[in-house]
Amino acid sequence: MQMLVREQVKTLLAQEGIKMKDLAIKMEEISGRTYSLQNLSHRLRRGTLTYNEMLLIADILGYEISFNKQ
């Protein structure tokens, strides 16, 4: 079964011991765009994060996204 992006992000945050609020602050610092805890949480819930935002989250958490052919 495929994991939703929201579940993946929350799992990675828990593994890295980072709070969602801290992630939003770091995203704002790096990108120069406004990210609030509420905004980020809603975007994760609705599944409306952009690919670039997901790349930014992965980078902040120390991960990289890769595509592997099955």
Side-chain angles (χ1 to χ4, degrees), residues 5 9 27 31 33 35 39-40 43-44 46-58 65:
V5 171
V9 170
M27 288 176 72
S31 71
R33 295 185 63 198
Y35 288 98
N39 176 273
L40 182 56
R43 291 179 70 133
L44 283 169
R46 291 188 310 259
T48 57
L49 283 176
T50 67
Y51 181 66
N52 286 334
E53 289 169 326
M54 198 57 221
L55 287 172
L56 178 59
I57 290 170
I65 296 174

Side-chain angles (χ1 to χ4, degrees), residues 10-40:
K10 286 189 170 201
T11 298
L12 293 175
L13 286 170
Q15 287 176 350
E16 299 302 319
I18 298 174
K19 295 179 182 180
M20 182 87 73
K21 180 178 181 175
D22 296 329
L23 175 63
I25 291 168
K26 194 70 171 170
M27 288 176 72
E28 192 169 301
E29 289 173 359
I30 293 172
S31 71
R33 295 185 63 198
T34 302
Y35 288 98
S36 67
L37 171 60
Q38 184 177 359
N39 176 273
L40 182 56

